[in-house]
Every structure is written in C-alpha cells, then in structure tokens.
Amino acid sequence: MGLKTVYAVLLIAAAAAAVCTAGCITDCTFGNPVYDGSNLIVILENAGAEKNASVQITIYSLDNFRQVEYDTLVSTVVLRNGINEFSLPVKLKDGRYKLYLYVLENGRRHSAQIRDISVNNGIKAGADNSRADNLAADNAGANNTGADNTGTV
C-alpha cells in the first residue's frame, strides 16, 4: 500500500468515528451527591446539547473492608445544557457508601464517575453539603478533601 492509500484509509476511519459518536453525551460531569435523609440529590453538568437520557446510580455499602451492593437507582431525565439537579428517593442507613454514577443514552454508557458519601443519623451528608456550588468548586479542585473518590470511567 502506498502512503496516499494509508492516509485515505485513516481519513475514512476518522470520519466514520466522528459520524458514529455525533450527538453522544460525552460532556457530562457529576458534582458531589448529597443525601438529605430520604433522597439522594445529584448534580450533573451537561456541556452539550439538551438530551433525553437515564441516570443510573449503583450504591455499594462499605463495611468491614468489604464493598456490598446496596441498591441501584435509575431515573429517566432530560439533561438540559448547564447544571441539572435530580432527586432520587432511597433509604440509606448510617454508614459509608460508594456511588457509581452513570449517564446512559439509548442503553449505552456515556459518562461515569465514582463518589464516596457518609450517612450519619439522618443528618445531611455527602462529600460537600453545598449543592449548587459543589460542582464548580469540585471541578476546580477546591473541594478535594480526599473524602470523595472521583474517577471518570
């Protein structure tokens, strides 16, 4: 194969990849979730266009050096451009939890992050209790106390 053929194949492959990923939710970032005693409140920033999607949260309890699946919450949402806030009902006992947060569109995962929260006697709990401002501060690194385990999958 000549050099021109290789470039043509690479160009076609790049164009095909761009077409296949057009319109996908790739610009979503989770803020620190907050538990208010009966609901898990999730902040999600969508930097892209408005989309219909699902938010899935798999909750694991952390106890005795073990991680055990506790519950899975799923909500169909409209992600508007900018900051979105969702409240999902759940009963959490006192303790520490690891949350796996996912954004799904048409059954495919487009964004995922991991967060840790602690629940203590029904007191509002989370890595940071300021709901609306936690996303910007978290993204700027201001709230990185080591209490939240943030990773993008």
Side-chain angles (χ1 to χ4, degrees), residues 25-115:
I25 300 174
T26 57
D27 296 330
C28 292
T29 305
F30 287 93
N32 292 322
V34 175
Y35 182 68
D36 71 0
S38 59
N39 294 293
L40 192 59
I41 300 163
V42 177
I43 307 293
L44 180 60
E45 183 175 11
N46 176 22
E50 184 173 296
K51 303 279 186 206
N52 293 321
S54 295
V55 173
Q56 176 181 321
I57 302 171
T58 304
I59 302 169
Y60 291 90
S61 64
L62 303 175
D63 192 25
N64 297 326
F65 300 105
R66 294 183 339 156
Q67 179 174 300
V68 178
E69 188 170 343
Y70 183 83
D71 202 353
T72 298
L73 312 172
V74 179
S75 181
T76 302
V77 298
V78 175
L79 288 177
R80 291 179 176 78
N81 182 270
I83 295 177
N84 298 266
E85 182 176 308
F86 306 104
S87 179
L88 297 107
V90 65
K91 245 345 185 188
L92 297 177
K93 301 173 187 173
D94 288 356
R96 294 181 324 121
Y97 297 89
K98 186 169 292 290
L99 308 176
Y100 288 74
L101 305 138
Y102 305 101
V103 174
L104 308 164
E105 184 182 27
N106 299 323
R108 291 185 46 197
R109 182 174 69 187
H110 289 280
S111 192
Q113 293 181 337
I114 302 169
R115 302 282 190 196

